Amino acid sequence: MATPAFDSSVLTRRGVLAAAAGSLLLAGCGQQGERPEEEPSASSAPSSQDLVVGASLELTGRGAALGVPQQRALEIGADALNRSGIPVGSLRRSIRLEIRDNRSSPREAARQAAELTRAGVQALVGGTLAETSVALAEAAQKVKTPFLSLGLGDGVVLPLAERTFSFQLTPDAVDVARRLADLVETQRLRRVALLAADGLHGDSGVRAVRAALRGSDADLVRTVRLPDTGRSFAGAAERIAAADPDGVIVWGAAPDSGVAARELRRADYRGPLFFDAGAVAEATLSAHNAAAVEGAYAVHPGCLSTSTLTATTRAELERRDFNYRYTQRYGTSNTFAPYASDALQLLAASARMATSLDRGRIRAFLQSQVAEGIAGGYAFTPTRHGGMESDSLAVYVVTQGAWRLYA
């Protein structure tokens, strides 16, 4: 039987912080309590009553497989919040989205951050690639605008002293790597190879996997980096297969993850495959990749496993509602976690508690958020601005062309 993605009996860091706060901030308004320290900022921009959120997303280019689902998550999340509005002071506000295509370019993402802030947004969301997220974080700091990163890869919000306006929603690489290492050890694999993407996301994976396997019975026998997207992965796959590993970890993002799996099979590697969270997207399960990825494992937020019959908590019901609306609108279920929808919920809760749309006040309340979102759980503090809590992660296996919770 599949294990639940969330276990309320486990004492977690988020649970301790939530108990101290008195409630989960996404669950209701609650009491205002003591005001957190604010950082000086430009006055909240427009005279409109809307909470205006600027999104810089990879709608084209190498990050589109992850960026497009986040655009959809933003729109579904905004529709849900706007059904009743957001109480901010004595008024009810609506969410208004300003979405831009950064074309998977860090330079374009930075330019858009400045442009959107000048146009009056109170917050920024985006960057599913680590490189665009870092560019957005640096730009957000300059313009004193809260930024919620959707990017995979550590370091987006570090060093914290230079990224006080940035928050990361995706899982930390070290947490994903630990779950993968546990899975490798459970299957008694002794020789493991790592095929990692180029760039910051792959860098994070190499560091995290090396550290996680160091304390296990498995040896990392070979590490190979994938070439830039658009170039053949065949040579990298052949180098991995030549090491004769018992298992291969593919650390990258869709669509590269599925292509890498296909090339590994062509190189006559027949053992188990293990993916990080970036692989869990529609492109990985495409018809071209179906045979190669069948039986592969992935560590990913547990939001994929909510049953329509057993959902009872507020978070589970919201996940069910989100997945229903996504499927109804787009004809397919969401696989890459709906971090963007959680970003809107976090911003709405912060604006509500701040009783203001001032950017500095929103930032101040963001860094005290303890919340269970649709994708998973978050526990931000003044000294920790991300990522997702480790107990939100689950293990999935591809079964008959779909991601299923692993027993």
Side-chain angles (χ1 to χ4, degrees):
M1 176 180 284
T3 55
F6 301 93
D7 186 348
S8 60
S9 67
V10 178
L11 185 63
T12 63
R13 190 177 76 93
R14 185 169 77 259
V16 172
L17 290 174
S23 65
L24 294 180
L25 299 184
L26 288 189
C29 296
Q31 297 297 315
Q32 297 297 321
E34 183 179 351
R35 302 281 184 186
E37 181 181 354
E38 298 169 26
E39 183 160 331
S41 72
S43 174
S44 61
S47 57
S48 164
Q49 293 183 4
D50 293 337
L51 171 57
V52 187
V53 178
S56 176
L57 293 168
E58 296 80 351
L59 304 183
T60 56
R62 65 177 295 186
L66 304 184
V68 171
Q70 294 309 316
Q71 177 190 17
R72 295 171 176 178
L74 273 178
E75 292 168 348
I76 292 171
D79 289 347
L81 284 165
N82 288 341
R83 287 201 292 266
S84 57
I86 307 161
V88 181
S90 60
L91 298 174
R92 280 198 172 269
R93 312 277 187 166
S94 294
I95 293 273
R96 177 157 61 87
L97 300 174
E98 294 290 340
I99 299 175
R100 304 286 187 272
D101 177 12
N102 62 39
R103 303 194 297 275
S104 302
S105 163
R107 179 176 296 183
E108 182 66 10
R111 187 193 68 76
Q112 290 172 353
E115 174 190 87
L116 287 164
T117 299
R118 286 195 300 269
V121 304
Q122 282 94 10
L124 297 165
V125 173
T128 60
L129 296 176
E131 287 77 8
T132 52
S133 262
V134 168
L136 286 163
E138 292 173 349
Q141 192 72 22
K142 291 177 182 177
V143 296
K144 305 295 186 186
T145 301
F147 164 58
L148 283 83
S149 166
L150 315 177
L152 294 162
D154 296 346
V156 174
V157 297
L158 298 173
L160 185 56
E162 299 173 11
R163 305 282 170 84
T164 57
F165 275 81
S166 295
F167 301 82
Q168 188 165 5
L169 276 65
T170 53
D172 289 338
V174 65
D175 294 327
V176 174
R178 284 172 182 160
R179 292 298 295 270
L180 287 171
D182 289 344
L183 187 59
V184 163
E185 195 155 24
T186 298
Q187 298 193 8
R188 299 181 179 179
L189 305 180
R190 294 294 178 261
R191 294 172 52 81
V192 177
L194 172 62
L195 186 56
D198 68 304
L200 298 177
H201 177 45
D203 293 346
S204 298
V206 170
R207 289 192 299 269
V209 169
R210 283 176 176 168
L213 291 179
R214 200 172 295 133
S216 74
D217 293 331
D219 293 325
L220 185 58
V221 296
R222 181 162 294 177
T223 299
V224 177
R225 302 300 293 268
L226 289 167
D228 293 341
T229 298
R231 297 171 59 189
S232 172
F233 291 175
E238 288 167 2
R239 290 175 59 197
I240 289 289
D244 193 26
D246 300 324
V248 175
I249 296 173
V250 178
W251 195 287
D256 291 355
S257 305
V259 176
R262 201 165 69 233
E263 292 297 341
L264 282 166
R265 299 309 189 197
R266 285 177 178 168
D268 290 329
Y269 172 70
R270 294 291 177 261
L273 292 173
F274 304 88
F275 293 122
D276 78 301
V280 184
E282 293 174 32
T284 304
L285 302 182
S286 71
H288 294 296
N289 302 329
V293 302
E294 184 70 16
Y297 302 91
V299 172
H300 183 273
C303 56
L304 298 183
S305 59
T306 300
S307 168
T308 58
L309 299 177
T310 61
T312 55
T313 69
R314 181 187 179 98
E316 288 171 342
L317 291 169
E318 288 178 348
R319 287 183 195 112
R320 184 183 66 181
D321 181 69
F322 176 89
N323 288 329
Y324 171 78
R325 292 178 183 280
Y326 194 102
T327 303
Q328 186 180 52
R329 186 175 298 187
Y330 300 108
T332 181
S333 62
N334 175 65
T335 47
F336 187 53
Y339 304 111
S341 182
D342 284 353
L344 292 185
Q345 291 278 1
L346 288 162
L347 288 169
S350 298
R352 182 183 65 233
M353 296 180 69
T355 65
S356 169
L357 297 184
D358 177 79
R359 296 171 189 146
R361 289 174 65 82
I362 289 174
R363 185 209 72 90
F365 279 94
L366 270 173
Q367 69 176 8
S368 63
Q369 289 275 16
V370 180
E372 192 72 48
I374 295 173
Y378 311 94
F380 298 138
T381 71
T383 59
R384 185 179 186 272
H385 283 195
M388 179 179 287
E389 292 293 282
S390 60
D391 64 303
S392 296
L393 297 175
V395 177
Y396 293 86
V397 61
V398 180
T399 306
Q400 296 181 338
W403 301 103
R404 309 290 185 191
L405 193 63
Y406 179 60

